[in-house]
Amino acid sequence: MEEKETQGGAPAASATAATASASTSEPNGAPKDTAAAVEHVATDRVIPMATDESSSSYSMLEPRMKKVYGAYYKELYYTPERRVLDPKVQELISIAASLIAKCEGCIDGHIKKALALGTTKEEISEAICIAAAINAAAMIDLSDRTAARLGLNHFPNTRKQSE
């Protein structure tokens, strides 16, 4: 996800610089240089937003809540010493979740990060297919619940069940 400047217009401190250390690998085994290189694919700013959004993005978010959101996002994505998931796995999950949430800026940013981490087109495709399957299952679940509430059964099971 691309990022926006923090409150007051000053860019946040670079998480990339914070991750560069003498250690050669992350706790999860990922090479530290690779993880550091993709910590901020586009910028060193904290709050995510699509790059083509107008400057009024987050204009409805109270400054203190914007700060809370930015801190949460930074903790989740840019604190490698606390990371449990492999960065590539984290980005694949983020791609699927972003698709289901229909967050265009999120999708763009997480696909960029995934590619920078060396994620293959097949891995990205599988994440997209998982998102599609989950979203389709959600539609079936919602329509089943609606049918139950309304007493509908348009296509009853006509096969005899074995005893």
Side-chain angles (χ1 to χ4, degrees):
M1 199 173 286
E2 301 301 319
E3 271 121 29
K4 187 175 180 177
E5 291 180 1
T6 58
Q7 184 178 359
S14 171
T16 304
T19 60
S21 71
S23 176
T24 59
S25 67
E26 295 287 331
N28 59 20
K32 188 158 274 255
D33 292 341
T34 303
V38 298
E39 285 302 317
H40 285 297
V41 171
T43 68
D44 286 34
R45 293 176 275 180
V46 175
I47 299 182
M49 75 175 244
T51 56
D52 60 350
E53 285 187 38
S54 69
S55 61
S56 65
S57 180
Y58 298 97
S59 68
M60 302 291 288
L61 193 58
E62 199 177 323
R64 70 183 178 86
M65 297 311 292
K66 181 177 171 181
K67 185 177 178 181
V68 168
Y69 172 67
Y72 176 79
Y73 189 84
K74 183 178 177 182
E75 178 74 17
L76 180 62
Y77 286 102
Y78 301 117
T79 311
E81 64 274 10
R82 294 191 182 159
R83 186 176 285 144
V84 176
L85 294 173
D86 175 81
K88 198 161 91 169
V89 170
Q90 187 179 36
E91 290 308 321
L92 288 168
I93 291 169
S94 296
I95 290 167
S98 298
L99 286 164
I100 291 171
K102 298 175 178 75
C103 179
E104 193 172 307
C106 303
I107 296 164
D108 292 351
H110 289 297
I111 287 178
K112 285 178 187 177
K113 284 184 189 176
L115 290 170
L117 285 165
T119 306
T120 67
K121 62 184 178 183
E122 292 82 8
E123 289 169 323
I124 292 172
S125 177
E126 188 168 336
I128 292 167
C129 291
I130 289 168
I134 297 297
N135 215 22
M139 288 181 222
I140 299 302
D141 182 61
L142 287 172
S143 61
D144 285 349
R145 290 174 183 262
T146 299
R149 281 192 308 274
L150 300 177
L152 301 173
N153 190 0
H154 288 165
F155 302 99
N157 188 352
T158 57
R159 289 185 284 176
K160 292 184 180 183
Q161 304 232 349
S162 59
E163 294 179 27

